[in-house]
Structures are given as structure tokens and as C-alpha cells.
Amino acid sequence: MLIKTKAIVISYLKFQEKSLIVKCFTQSDGLKSYFVQSAYSGKKSNQKIAYFQPLTILEIEASHKNKGTLEHFKEIKLAMAYQTINTDIVKSTIVIFLSEMLHHSIQEEEKNEDLFTFLETALIWLDTHHETSNFHLILLLEITKFIGFYPDISEIDFNFFEMTDGIFSPFQGISCLSEHETFLFKKLINLKFDSDQKVFAGIERQILLKILLDYYTIHLDGFKKPKSLEVLKEVFA
């Protein structure tokens, strides 16, 4: 079946000398993996390695056999050319980290158009704004809405957040955040991308990042913390 759709590049893996296996989150079909032959050669200039950098937004025409095997691109072009993400060291580090997070988080190979639209909108926002210190934290929390474990905020006035059940509690159980950690987590829940970026100090962002990674680990089977985590910490130190 020939499909035309937008796709966000999640990751790529070099195969032999010149080829790639590219994992994309597509608007039409969710997760798909594609075989790209001769990505490092001069042939097929529309399938060059530059198109497959983390979280690039593409418009693709592809042959989908839907048999659990690798699919193949027919045509590729940029849906939008980033203006700052690829040249700003902070933004590019955020994108590499988030692509790893998505690689380990989006596990269902089925259409999730709401998640696609959210990610596309968020990436465009990141590319077009300068103050982005809290972007990765807000994005990671918002993604949990689409993959099934966003915190239950019906009792958000309670002082402790219980990580396993994803609820706020009046008592500090064994899997609860501390009162201070819960206070920070509540502040994050109320943030939007364009909220004041100075609402957290650097050490508070580190605490929140650890909370989010632990939360993902609890709720996603086989979740692995990104290798780029230490680089991200250095950038925001």
C-alpha cells in the first residue's frame, strides 16, 4: 500500500557500510521502520543521512506492506526545515535526549494522531523560541497523557505524590515523593511551554528530571534511561 504522510524521525541505525534502518513515528500508521539503501552515497539525494537526524519532521511517500518487516520510502522531503534546533547546542542536546526517550516510550505500533500532532506542534515551538529551559520537562510530562499514565490530579492539594498509582496522597507511603519533590512536581504540572522559564532553579530541574525518569521506569516495561542523559545534565548544569 502506498502511503503519503508526515513522519517524525525517532532514531536510525547504520546497516553495513552505506545503508540505514530508520524508525519513524508516522501520522498515518504510528511507529514504522524503514530500510534506506545507500544513505551515505551520492545516489537518491532525497534519501540522504541529513534527512534522518533525530526528531526531523518529514513528508514521506512510502510503501507499507504491514507485515512486520522493514518498509521502504518512495519519496522524502522536509515538512519543515528547522531554523535553530540543528545549530543551537542546548536545543540539539534536548532533541537527542527526547528522541531517545521516545524510542523507549512509544511502544504501540498503531496510529496515535493526537500524539503526533502534539509532538509536531511542540517541536515547532522549540525551534521558534529562545527560552526553552523547561521544555523537555513539560514535554515528558505531557507525553504521559497520550501513552496512558498521566498523573491523576483530582486530589492535587494533597502533599505527596504516589509514583506507582500516579495519584496525590495525604500520607507519605513508600513509593511517594517527598513533600518538596511533590511541590516541584505540582509546579511542573501547571506549566505551559510559554510559562516563565525561570520558575525553577537548575538543581530543581535536575530533581524533576529524575522524578520523570523514575516515573517512566515504573510505568513502562523495559524502559531504559537515555545514554544522552549525562550530556543533558551538563548542558543544564
Side-chain angles (χ1 to χ4, degrees):
M1 183 185 299
L2 200 60
I3 298 290
K4 289 185 178 180
T5 183
K6 285 184 178 178
I8 298 172
V9 177
I10 302 298
S11 62
Y12 71 81
L13 179 67
K14 191 173 181 180
F15 181 77
Q16 296 180 343
E17 285 299 311
K18 297 181 179 179
S19 301
L20 296 175
I21 295 171
V22 181
K23 180 184 282 190
C24 292
F25 183 57
T26 69
Q27 187 172 21
S28 64
D29 294 271
L31 275 184
K32 284 287 181 183
S33 292
Y34 300 88
F35 182 72
V36 182
Q37 196 166 19
S38 303
Y40 291 89
S41 73
K43 299 175 182 178
K44 290 192 175 181
S45 60
N46 71 325
Q47 296 194 17
K48 288 263 185 105
I49 183 69
Y51 282 85
F52 306 119
Q53 298 308 302
L55 303 190
T56 301
I57 305 171
L58 303 173
E59 289 184 6
I60 65 171
E61 186 174 315
S63 174
H64 286 181
K65 294 182 179 179
N66 298 317
K67 293 182 179 179
T69 56
L70 294 174
E71 313 288 15
H72 291 81
F73 295 117
K74 296 292 186 182
E75 295 291 337
I76 307 170
K77 64 179 179 179
L78 292 175
M80 70 160 290
Y82 291 139
Q83 300 302 308
T84 64
I85 284 177
N86 297 328
T87 56
D88 183 306
I89 184 63
V90 174
K91 290 183 181 182
S92 60
T93 302
I94 289 172
V95 160
I96 290 169
F97 169 75
L98 291 174
S99 69
E100 282 196 76
M101 287 292 296
L102 291 169
H103 178 78
H104 294 301
S105 303
I106 302 175
Q107 299 172 340
E108 297 297 326
E109 295 189 14
E110 58 187 34
K111 182 177 180 178
N112 190 336
E113 193 162 0
D114 289 341
L115 176 55
F116 183 92
T117 301
F118 168 72
L119 289 174
E120 179 184 33
T121 303
L123 289 166
I124 292 170
W125 188 93
L126 176 65
D127 189 55
T128 54
H129 288 76
H130 297 296
E131 297 295 327
T132 59
S133 301
N134 301 320
F135 176 85
H136 58 302
L137 302 174
I138 298 169
L139 186 96
L140 290 180
L141 182 59
E142 289 294 309
I143 284 172
T144 65
K145 289 180 179 178
F146 303 97
I147 56 179
F149 55 98
Y150 187 75
D152 179 349
I153 59 173
S154 58
E155 303 288 355
I156 198 169
D157 289 338
F158 288 147
N159 288 340
F160 303 100
F161 181 67
E162 206 285 322
M163 295 277 276
T164 304
D165 293 332
I167 62 172
F168 288 88
S169 169
F171 311 106
Q172 187 172 16
I174 193 168
S175 58
C176 285
L177 300 179
S178 70
E179 192 167 355
H180 178 61
E181 289 169 335
T182 301
F183 171 74
L184 294 176
F185 196 55
K186 288 179 183 180
K187 284 176 72 174
L188 177 60
I189 286 172
N190 289 318
L191 285 190
K192 305 297 182 188
F193 287 131
D194 56 1
S195 299
D196 180 9
Q197 298 296 310
K198 295 180 175 62
V199 67
F200 297 122
I203 187 63
E204 292 175 330
R205 290 193 190 94
Q206 300 284 12
I207 292 169
L208 283 165
L209 183 57
K210 182 182 184 304
I211 289 169
L212 288 166
L213 289 170
D214 289 344
Y215 193 51
Y216 271 65
T217 301
I218 290 167
H219 291 276
L220 289 176
D221 289 339
F223 176 77
K224 297 178 182 177
K225 293 182 180 179
K227 294 177 181 177
S228 58
L229 177 60
E230 294 306 315
V231 180
L232 186 77
K233 287 180 178 178
E234 286 293 324
V235 166
F236 282 103

